[in-house]
Amino acid sequence: MVDLKTQYEHIREDVNKAILNVIENTAFINGPEVSSFQSELENYLDIKHVIPCANGTDALQIAMMALGLKPGDEVITPSYTYIATTEVMALLGLTPVFVDVDPKTFCINPSLIEEKITPKTKLIVPVHLYGQAADMDEILAVAKKHNLYVVEDNAQAIGCVYTHKDGTISKTGTMGDIGCTSFFPSKNLGCYGDGGALCTNSDELAEKIRMIANHGQSKRYYHDVVGCNSRLDSIQAAVLRIKLPRLDSYCDARRKAADHYDNFFRSIDGITTPFRADNNKHVFHQYTLILEGIDRDELKDHLESKGIPAMIYYPVPAHKQKMFASFGVENMVLPVTDWLTERVISLPMHTELEEEQLNYICESVKEFVNK
Ligand SMILES: *Cc1c(COP(=O)(O)O)cnc(C)c1O
């Protein structure tokens, strides 16, 4: 699905030098690479505070801890997402309240949020799924009206630019109270291990987040709140410092591959290509088709037999996971979520796709459809 090896070949010298430098300086934890990366990412996102942490799941957990949510508080979120988004809610004793997604963007449908709000609702967690921004103007308006926090799960969309109704622009992850992202190797800005970050424009939240991620410590050996231990290590920060200046060109490469796929698949019956909203710039973390009247499992097998990986993101939505059985949500009807989970398939998508490879993948899909 991704070709991290070829991407590495292009930056090998810089990366090797940067990693070696960390080792020579033995500044493995909280070294200068981490603080430099932090300020470079603040500049890139145009946000006041970035707080690096160990992974994207931790970022979400720390965000919900920093907002002071209490067990039993309700959080509005899509069910159609990677499990990390909703898992941390359950871990903190919060109640995920699942809302259906928009059939075009695959992101939470803002017009269905208000009916799910109760006096216990404290937070909305939109997910910018597959690299496209959720409908943030609408989400922020509902949140404001009902005095709710917003935490953006930006693990799949770093680099995406959203245009507000008034024409101003924001990067995804910077519009809510807190944005969370992941630097898992296959993400659009991936390191060579685990990594993640939170970002916020609030000085107060930034201070809380820093404290929570560092054992609840206010000054050395004084621990004011229950926290955790979540750090980005210096080697990962050094790798990210090489890749961050290339992030926009990486997103362009993904969009170019998506254009190629779109042009080919647009004319094939039974295949719906990814929707691209006018108000944001899709960064194609995934390239995901909707199939109608085409057997998904057989197509996947056919592609595999030709050496092409394809994946189903996600075969089981959160509300149908055993993990949430005690929440009594398995029979909940989320028509669009249920419909999509039976019909989506994701094709290889990364920064190194050559025209020849794209043609081979496209022709292989066509060959199956025409069979
Ligand atoms: C990858 C991902 C996460 C979790 O990130 P990790 O760094 O793997 O913990 C959270 N949410 C979404 C939507 C993701 O895709």
Side-chain angles (χ1 to χ4, degrees):
M1 294 297 282
V2 295
D3 181 0
L4 297 174
K5 185 77 203 266
T6 311
Q7 191 190 62
Y8 165 67
E9 307 285 349
H10 295 304
I11 52 175
R12 177 202 293 267
E13 247 172 69
D14 290 349
V15 166
N16 289 5
K17 210 167 92 193
I19 291 178
L20 203 61
N21 183 49
V22 173
I23 298 171
E24 298 280 355
N25 292 318
T26 61
F28 298 116
I29 303 290
N30 292 336
E33 294 292 332
V34 178
S35 47
S36 298
F37 172 65
Q38 175 190 315
S39 56
E40 285 156 13
L41 188 58
E42 284 165 355
N43 280 336
Y44 176 82
L45 292 172
D46 191 18
I47 193 139
K48 214 162 162 194
H49 305 282
V50 164
I51 305 97
C53 68
N55 56 68
T57 310
D58 275 9
L60 288 158
Q61 180 184 327
I62 294 165
M64 291 178 213
M65 290 168 80
L67 294 173
L69 304 189
K70 303 272 176 326
D73 284 348
E74 294 177 2
V75 184
I76 288 180
T77 179
S79 171
Y80 187 60
T81 176
Y82 180 56
I83 197 66
T85 317
T86 52
E87 178 189 32
V88 298
M89 297 169 192
L91 193 68
L92 296 173
L94 310 172
T95 306
V97 174
F98 299 114
V99 168
D100 212 353
V101 292
D102 180 287
K104 284 185 177 158
T105 64
F106 307 146
C107 295
I108 193 165
N109 184 337
S111 67
L112 302 174
I113 292 177
E114 211 155 16
E115 65 198 52
K116 298 282 181 95
I117 293 174
T118 76
K120 286 186 182 166
T121 310
K122 296 284 150 52
L123 167 67
I124 306 174
V125 180
V127 181
H128 305 308
L129 202 73
Y130 301 156
Q132 181 158 237
D135 196 346
M136 289 306 292
D137 280 340
E138 301 300 325
I139 293 165
L140 293 168
V142 181
K144 193 168 178 204
K145 183 172 162 195
H146 296 273
N147 202 19
L148 307 174
Y149 293 114
V150 175
V151 169
E152 298 171 70
D153 183 340
N154 194 34
Q156 299 189 0
I158 194 161
C160 176
V161 179
Y162 179 84
T163 306
H164 296 274
K165 277 187 198 142
D166 65 5
T168 59
I169 60 168
S170 304
K171 292 240 166 83
T172 52
T174 66
M175 295 175 268
D177 296 280
I178 304 173
C180 298
T181 199
S182 163
F183 306 124
F184 186 81
S186 63
K187 299 283 157 90
N188 287 29
L189 178 61
C191 58
Y192 290 176
D194 274 308
L198 301 95
C199 61
T200 182
N201 276 313
S202 155
D203 297 341
E204 194 191 331
L205 281 174
E207 200 185 315
K208 276 190 194 154
I209 290 165
R210 275 199 192 96
M211 203 193 280
I212 290 168
N214 184 26
H215 300 292
Q217 179 169 282
S218 55
K219 62 182 193 193
R220 196 158 219 189
Y221 304 127
Y222 289 80
H223 304 273
D224 298 1
V225 294
V226 174
C228 56
N229 174 27
S230 190
R231 296 183 287 244
L232 179 71
D233 74 67
S234 302
I235 287 181
Q236 301 312 332
V239 172
L240 289 164
R241 289 191 68 203
I242 308 292
K243 291 180 75 173
L244 180 60
R246 295 170 169 83
L247 176 58
D248 286 340
S249 70
Y250 286 159
C251 293
D252 286 340
R254 287 169 177 271
R255 266 191 297 270
K256 205 170 150 221
D259 290 345
H260 188 108
Y261 279 141
D262 277 1
N263 288 335
F264 189 91
F265 293 129
R266 201 171 281 137
S267 59
I268 299 184
D269 276 353
I271 292 183
T272 305
T273 55
F275 175 76
R276 303 192 202 189
D278 291 338
N279 64 350
N280 76 78
K281 232 175 157 185
H282 207 313
V283 294
F284 287 99
H285 175 60
Q286 299 297 346
Y287 184 85
T288 303
L289 299 171
I290 304 174
L291 305 178
E292 286 170 279
I294 298 169
D295 191 303
R296 181 171 69 173
D297 294 335
E298 281 180 22
L299 171 59
K300 192 168 180 286
D301 290 347
H302 172 78
L303 292 175
E304 247 149 51
S305 75
K306 307 204 72 177
I308 301 166
M311 291 290 283
I312 312 301
Y313 302 119
Y314 299 93
V316 184
H319 71 286
K320 289 187 177 159
Q321 296 286 353
K322 281 189 197 153
M323 181 193 282
F324 291 111
S326 66
F327 291 78
V329 288
E330 76 261 40
N331 295 321
M332 192 175 183
V333 180
L334 296 172
V336 179
T337 297
D338 296 337
W339 189 84
L340 284 173
T341 47
E342 285 168 14
R343 285 169 182 80
V344 288
I345 189 164
S346 299
L347 298 180
M349 174 49 75
H350 53 83
T351 56
E352 311 301 321
L353 281 164
E354 305 277 354
E355 199 154 304
E356 201 183 322
Q357 293 172 303
L358 289 162
N359 284 333
Y360 178 67
I361 298 165
C362 289
E363 291 296 343
S364 301
V365 172
K366 191 173 168 186
E367 181 183 275
F368 176 80
V369 174
N370 288 345
K371 198 168 52 143

